[in-house]
Amino acid sequence: MSLSGKTIRYAAWAALNIVVARQVDLIVREPYMDEPFHIPQAQAYCRGEWSHWDPKITTPPGLYLVSIALMKVFLLPCTIPILRLTNVLLLTLLPPFLDRVIASVRVDQERLRNRSWLEPSAEAIIISSFPVFWFFAFLYYTDVASAISVLITLYVARSGWHKSAVVVGLLSCLFRQTNVIWLAFAFGSTSLYALHYPPEREAWDAERRKPQHLRGRQLTYFVFDHDVLAAKADFLDWIISVLTVIAERKTVLPLLPPYIAGFLAFLGFVVWNGGIVLGDKSNHVPVIHIPQVYYGVAFATAFGWPILFTGRHGVFRLLKNIYLRSFWTKWYTSRTIFIMAFILFTTWKYTIHHPFLLSDNRHYTFYIWKRLYMFHPAVPYLLAPVYYFCGYAWYVRLGQDNSLLNVCLFCGLTMVALIPTPLLEPRYFIVPYLILRILIPTTKKALMMEAAWYALINWGTMAVFLYKERWGVDGVIRFMW
C-alpha cells in the first residue's frame, strides 16, 4: 500500500521535530532556564518521592505525571532527554487531533472526509509549528501539554460530552491553573453552537424546504439567527443578541450544571490553597495589568500578519473598514477618541516594569522592553495608535467568520486570562493565539505565507538558542523566548 502525499508530509514534519530534539539534547545537556525546577521535581516523582515539592514551582504536577505514565508504559529511564521527549511526542501527535478541533469549532465536517489520522492538513501542521509553542516543545516546560489539554477540553465540549469536558478541563488545570478560564470558553462556545444548531434545526430546515401543501408539521420553531457576524454588527446588534440568548435560555441552561460543578471544584481548590498560585506566591501576585492585552494584540499581529492581512476582502478593504468604522461619523470618531484616551490612560496608570523582565537578558522580551519600550518615555504612548489599529484589525478579521457573541466571548475571556499577569511573557499568549488561529479559516496563499514566516522564525530562534551561546558569570547563556 503506497503512502499518500499528506502522510509523507506529516512524516517529514515529525522527522524534523525529532532531528531538532536530538540537537537540543546533544548541545543543551544540562537543565536550562526553568528546567532546573521542573526536571528535578519530575525525577523525584520517578524515585517515588511523592511528598517532595519544590516551593519555587507555581504550577501543579500535571506534566510530571504524564512523563511518569509514559515511562512506566514504555519502560524508559527518567533522564533529561526522555523527560523532554514528553513534549516532543505531544507536539508530533497534535496535527491530526488539531484537524478534529478545527472541524468542530468551524462546523466543517467536510474537513475530515476521507482523512485518516496519518493525513493531517497542511493548516494543522502549520498551526502546530507556531513559533513560541514549537520552541518550548523541545524543553521540559508545561506550555505544550497545557495548550493541548485546553484544545482537548474544547473538542470534547463541542462534541456534546459536557461532563467529560468538565473533567478534562479540570485536569487541564493540573498543567496551568488559569486553564479554568478556557473551560468557561468551552462552555460559552458550546452554548452558542447549541443555539445556532439545536437538534430540531435539521428536521425544521428539511420541512421548510418542502412545498406548502406537503408540509406535515407546523413551522413554529424559532431559529436563533440574530447573532450576526461581528464584522457587520453594531451596538444595537449586541444588545439584541444578548436579549435573544436570555429569551432562548432553555436551550443553554441544561448544559450548565456540570460546568457549575467544575467551577465550584476549582473554587474549592483556590480556597484550600490560599490562592490560585502554588509555591512561590510572593512573585506571582495577581495584579491589574491592562497593557498586557495591548502586548498580546501586538504579539498576535507580529506572528499572524499573513492571516490578518489576507482576509476575505484583502488588506485594502480591511484598512478601509477600520477607517470607516473609526471616523466615518461623529459617533465613530467620538468612540475612537474615547478608546485612544483609554489606551493612553491605562498605559500610564498600569504599565508594569517587572523586575524579572528587567533582570534577565536571556529572553527576547528583555531587549524589546529595554531597547524599544524604554528608549524614550514617549514610546509607550506613541504605540497607542498601533495597539488600536492591530486590535481593531483582528476584531474585523475575526468577525468576518465568527458571530458577534463568539468574538465577544473570546476577547472577553482572553482579557480575563491576561490582565492579572504582571510579567510580559510570550508563553502567556500561546493558548489565546492558538484559539484565535483556529477560529479563522484562511486561503492557500495565506497558509503558504504563514508557513514561510513560521519556518523563518523557528529556524532563526532555534539556531540562536543552540549555536549562538554566550558565557557569563553563571555559565552558558542561551537566548530564547
Side-chain angles (χ1 to χ4, degrees):
M1 182 178 67
S2 60
L3 296 176
S4 69
K6 294 176 181 177
T7 301
I8 295 173
R9 177 181 62 199
Y10 178 39
W13 179 79
L16 175 63
N17 291 337
I18 294 172
V19 170
V20 173
R22 179 60 176 164
Q23 282 296 298
V24 172
D25 290 335
L26 288 174
I27 296 173
V28 189
R29 294 180 176 273
E30 299 297 324
Y32 188 73
M33 196 62 73
D34 287 0
E35 286 186 324
F37 305 109
H38 295 304
I39 288 178
Q41 182 63 51
Q43 291 175 331
Y45 281 0
C46 287
R47 295 190 298 268
E49 300 173 9
W50 298 104
S51 61
H52 173 79
W53 184 258
D54 186 339
K56 293 184 178 180
I57 296 176
T58 60
T59 52
L63 178 62
Y64 320 138
L65 299 178
V66 171
S67 297
I68 292 171
L70 291 174
M71 292 172 195
K72 295 293 185 182
V73 170
F74 297 104
L75 303 178
L76 299 172
C78 198
T79 61
I80 295 174
I82 296 300
L83 287 171
R84 288 173 177 167
L85 189 62
T86 304
N87 283 333
V88 178
L89 179 62
L90 293 174
L91 170 68
T92 304
L93 295 176
L94 176 59
F97 172 71
L98 190 55
D99 266 325
R100 274 76 188 164
V101 179
I102 294 172
S104 67
V105 170
R106 298 180 189 170
V107 195
D108 179 18
Q109 295 306 316
E110 288 295 321
R111 184 183 192 89
L112 303 180
R113 187 179 297 275
N114 299 323
R115 186 188 297 277
S116 78
W117 282 82
L118 296 177
E119 297 179 326
S121 67
E123 183 177 21
I125 293 175
I126 292 167
I127 295 175
S128 300
S129 304
F130 167 54
V132 181
F133 176 81
W134 182 86
F135 182 93
F136 284 104
F138 302 100
L139 298 172
Y140 199 60
Y141 275 61
T142 62
D143 302 279
V144 171
S146 171
I148 292 176
S149 68
V150 169
L151 297 181
I152 295 174
T153 303
L154 181 58
Y155 175 74
V156 174
R158 291 300 293 258
S159 298
W161 307 320
H162 299 292
K163 293 180 181 178
S164 299
V166 171
V167 172
V168 175
L170 291 177
L171 289 176
S172 75
C173 296
L174 292 176
F175 302 98
R176 180 153 290 163
Q177 299 92 312
T178 52
N179 285 347
V180 72
I181 295 169
W182 302 111
L183 176 60
F185 176 79
F187 165 71
S189 176
T190 305
S191 298
L192 292 176
Y193 175 81
L195 288 169
H196 284 284
Y197 301 95
E200 303 92 334
R201 179 166 182 165
E202 185 175 347
W204 189 89
D205 286 342
E207 197 71 21
R208 186 180 58 176
R209 287 191 293 268
K210 294 180 181 179
Q212 181 72 36
H213 66 284
L214 296 178
R215 293 176 182 173
R217 57 180 291 183
Q218 187 75 19
L219 291 181
T220 58
Y221 173 68
F222 173 74
V223 179
F224 178 79
D225 59 0
H226 186 79
D227 190 12
V228 297
L229 291 176
K232 299 180 179 179
D234 56 23
F235 185 69
L236 182 61
D237 288 309
W238 188 88
I239 295 176
I240 296 176
S241 295
V242 171
L243 292 177
T244 307
V245 170
I246 296 173
E248 290 294 300
R249 59 188 179 275
K250 63 181 182 296
T251 303
V252 176
L253 290 179
L255 309 179
L256 192 55
Y259 293 94
I260 291 178
F263 296 136
L264 289 176
F266 184 82
L267 180 62
F269 158 77
V270 173
V271 173
W272 169 80
N273 184 57
I276 193 172
V277 177
L278 293 177
D280 190 10
K281 293 182 174 66
S282 61
N283 286 315
H284 296 82
V285 178
V287 296
I288 299 176
H289 190 198
I290 297 174
Q292 188 83 301
V293 176
Y294 312 149
Y295 310 147
V297 167
F299 173 93
T301 305
F303 287 98
W305 64 265
I307 305 302
L308 178 61
F309 297 125
T310 55
R312 187 167 298 167
H313 305 295
V315 62
F316 294 108
R317 181 70 175 270
L318 176 66
L319 296 175
K320 180 180 178 181
N321 197 332
I322 295 172
Y323 173 77
L324 292 178
R325 294 173 75 93
S326 298
F327 302 107
W328 186 247
T329 66
K330 291 182 179 180
W331 158 245
Y332 287 166
T333 302
S334 301
R335 182 182 64 185
T336 301
I337 293 173
F338 174 79
I339 294 173
M340 286 295 300
F342 180 82
I343 295 174
L344 291 169
F345 172 77
T346 51
T347 298
W348 166 71
K349 184 70 174 178
Y350 296 106
T351 294
I352 297 175
H353 299 272
H354 200 283
F356 286 5
L357 177 62
L358 297 172
S359 63
D360 195 340
N361 64 355
R362 295 171 293 179
H363 294 284
Y364 295 124
T365 48
F366 170 88
Y367 299 95
I368 293 173
W369 194 267
K370 200 80 170 178
R371 297 181 181 179
L372 174 62
Y373 211 78
M374 298 181 67
F375 177 78
H376 189 277
V379 169
Y381 306 100
L382 294 176
L383 290 174
V386 178
Y387 299 146
Y388 172 82
F389 168 78
C390 292
Y392 214 143
W394 277 114
Y395 175 82
V396 172
R397 181 67 181 91
L398 191 60
Q400 291 175 353
D401 300 284
N402 291 272
S403 70
L404 175 62
L405 291 181
N406 204 35
V407 171
C408 291
L409 175 71
F410 169 72
C411 293
L413 290 177
T414 297
M415 293 179 188
V416 172
L418 294 181
I419 288 176
T421 57
L423 177 64
L424 173 57
E425 167 60 74
R427 292 181 293 133
Y428 295 162
F429 305 132
I430 288 177
V431 172
Y433 184 87
L434 289 177
I435 295 178
L436 171 70
R437 184 60 189 82
I438 288 169
L439 287 170
I440 300 178
T442 189
T443 62
K444 290 184 178 180
K445 177 183 177 181
L447 284 176
M448 292 175 62
M449 295 169 61
E450 184 180 34
W453 182 232
Y454 284 2
L456 179 63
I457 295 174
N458 286 336
W459 173 81
T461 52
M462 188 57 71
V464 169
F465 178 71
L466 293 177
Y467 307 118
K468 295 294 182 182
E469 71 275 7
R470 297 290 187 270
W471 290 90
V473 293
D474 296 325
V476 68
I477 297 174
R478 299 185 185 277
F479 300 104
M480 61 191 301
W481 292 111

